[in-house]
């Protein structure tokens, strides 16, 4: 009989701990730490971290058209001796991504320059709007032989 009462007491303590633990957690750990939100049935949770996306491997169609630079850019063109400063917060056209740099074009001219990805908002844009997979182009059908 004693063994049965001990097992019943342990089971009651387990059930009570299971029911009380979520409200007790905020008291013990603090209100800043929250348990991860559970997905509703039939809903997939898709989280994209900035480090999961490699912009160098994306197709041009998957990249945003413009990026905002987060730091001033000082450009020098050695041929005519021209220097230009582009202020932080300026939105520039994205031409392509090479390694850890983006090639940007200010306005509608032909002048392009490389700029570090870390000093643009490209990764934030990709994290907010993850790129969709590119659909493969259908191969043209071969012409029939006469």
């Amino acid at each position: 009989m004693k063994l049965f009462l001990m097992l019943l007491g342990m089971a009651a303590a387990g059930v009570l701990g299971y029911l009380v633990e979520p409200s007790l957690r905020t008291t013990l750990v603090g209100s800043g730490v929250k348990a991860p939100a559970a997905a509703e049935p039939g809903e997939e949770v898709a989280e994209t971290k900035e480090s999961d996306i490699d912009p160098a491997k994306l197709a041009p169609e998957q990249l945003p058209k413009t990026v905002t630079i987060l730091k001033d850019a000082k450009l020098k063109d050695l041929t005519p001796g021209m220097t230009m400063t582009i202020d932080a917060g300026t939105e520039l056209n994205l031409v392509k991504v090479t390694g850890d740099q983006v090639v940007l074009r200010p306005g509608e001219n032909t002048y392009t320059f490389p700029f570090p990805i870390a000093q643009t908002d490209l990764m934030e844009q990709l994290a907010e709007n993850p790129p969709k997979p590119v659909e493969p182009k259908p191969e043209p059908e071969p012409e029939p032989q006469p």
Side-chain angles (χ1 to χ4, degrees):
M1 185 74 176
K2 262 185 169 177
L3 181 63
F4 178 72
L5 287 176
M6 283 194 298
L7 290 175
L8 184 66
M10 286 193 307
V15 169
L16 184 65
Y18 180 79
L19 296 175
V20 175
E21 189 270 336
S23 62
L24 191 61
R25 176 185 302 197
T26 57
T27 305
L28 296 175
V29 178
S31 62
V33 178
K34 295 181 180 178
E40 302 222 357
E43 178 183 340
E44 293 182 17
V45 176
E47 291 184 22
T48 305
K49 297 179 184 176
E50 289 183 22
S51 60
D52 291 346
I53 301 172
D54 184 10
K57 293 182 180 177
L58 296 176
E61 303 87 41
Q62 294 175 303
L63 294 170
K65 301 290 182 210
T66 60
V67 295
T68 303
I69 60 172
L70 305 174
K71 199 172 185 182
D72 289 348
K74 295 181 181 175
L75 311 174
K76 291 183 181 180
D77 193 357
L78 299 176
T79 309
M82 179 183 83
T83 60
M84 178 171 51
T85 302
I86 300 175
D87 296 327
T90 304
E91 196 171 271
L92 302 171
N93 296 325
L94 177 63
V95 177
K96 65 180 178 177
V97 177
T98 56
D100 63 345
Q101 297 205 344
V102 291
V103 178
L104 302 174
R105 178 183 307 138
E108 294 298 322
N109 57 27
T110 59
Y111 185 75
T112 60
F113 65 96
F115 201 72
I117 290 177
Q119 296 177 5
T120 66
D121 70 338
L122 176 64
M123 297 308 291
E124 289 87 8
Q125 286 186 36
L126 292 175
E128 288 175 8
N129 299 317
K132 296 179 178 142
V134 176
E135 295 180 15
K137 296 178 183 175
E139 294 183 20
E141 294 181 19
E143 294 182 17
Q145 300 269 339

